[in-house]
Amino acid sequence: PDCRQAERLLSRHSIDYNKISVEKSERGKKFYNEVGGGDLPMLHASGKLIKGFNKESYAKMLNFELAPHELK
């Protein structure tokens, strides 16, 4: 569920992203293990990593503003 929330948030703000499955992709499994596992989804951009879904952290990392209804 959090993965879908992250996808919707990124799409609403016209943020391009690559979705990589940690279950179906060898690349995804390797990355997940390299960063020590943790909560999903993971957002990796500009050498930074966020584990788990957090709207405020995503907005700060990717430099976009959340709409008032997104802050709930």
Side-chain angles (χ1 to χ4, degrees):
D2 287 342
C3 294
R4 287 190 295 270
Q5 287 180 306
E7 290 176 44
R8 284 193 298 268
L9 179 70
L10 296 174
S11 293
R12 270 197 309 271
H13 290 276
S14 301
I15 305 290
D16 292 329
Y17 63 92
N18 294 314
K19 180 179 174 180
I20 301 170
S21 172
V22 299
E23 295 173 341
K24 299 177 183 175
S25 161
E26 286 304 315
R27 179 178 169 208
K29 290 175 190 174
K30 182 179 177 190
F31 177 79
Y32 184 78
N33 290 327
E34 286 175 353
V35 299
D39 293 337
L40 295 174
M42 292 186 182
L43 176 65
H44 183 246
S46 302
K48 297 178 183 175
L49 177 68
I50 297 173
K51 295 180 180 184
F53 178 64
N54 181 292
K55 293 182 275 194
E56 292 82 3
S57 295
Y58 280 32
K60 183 176 180 180
M61 177 191 250
L62 298 172
N63 198 31
F64 65 85
E65 290 189 33
L66 294 170
H69 72 275
E70 293 175 316
L71 295 171
K72 296 177 184 177

